[in-house]
Amino acid sequence: IKSLSLDGTSRLNRFIEVKAVPEDSFQFFWTAAELEAACHLRQAYFLYLLPATGGDTFDLSRMEMIQNPVMS
C-alpha cells in the first residue's frame, strides 16, 4: 500500500505491507520481493502485523507496526 505520512508541512512516502498473522505467534512468510522492497525502501517501508482471531476477524488493538523491519 502506498501512503503518506505528514510531518508538519512535509509529506513523506510510506510503503505498507500488511500481514495477517496467528495471534499466538505473530509468525509470517516474507517473500523475496517483499524483503527486497524493505531493504530498498528502508525508513519508508512499514510492516503491519495484524493478528487473526478466527474466521474473517482481526484484533486491531494488538496490531504491530514496524518501520524499517530489516533493521529492527
Side-chain angles (χ1 to χ4, degrees):
I1 302 168
K2 186 175 180 184
S3 184
L4 292 173
S5 293
L6 301 176
D7 183 16
T9 59
S10 299
R11 294 170 48 158
L12 307 169
N13 285 327
R14 179 183 282 216
F15 298 88
I16 302 169
E17 180 70 38
V18 180
K19 294 284 190 183
V21 296
E23 63 181 328
D24 58 341
S25 68
F26 276 71
Q27 291 183 336
F28 64 94
F29 177 77
W30 223 359
T31 67
E34 291 165 346
L35 183 56
E36 183 179 341
C39 290
H40 175 73
L41 295 167
R42 296 184 178 146
Q43 290 297 106
Y45 189 93
F46 290 77
L47 181 61
Y48 288 19
L49 301 177
L50 186 57
T53 57
D56 292 331
T57 60
F58 301 92
D59 186 351
L60 292 175
S61 69
R62 293 183 53 222
M63 181 174 68
E64 291 188 21
M65 293 180 279
I66 307 166
Q67 182 177 8
N68 195 2
V70 175
M71 298 304 294
S72 296

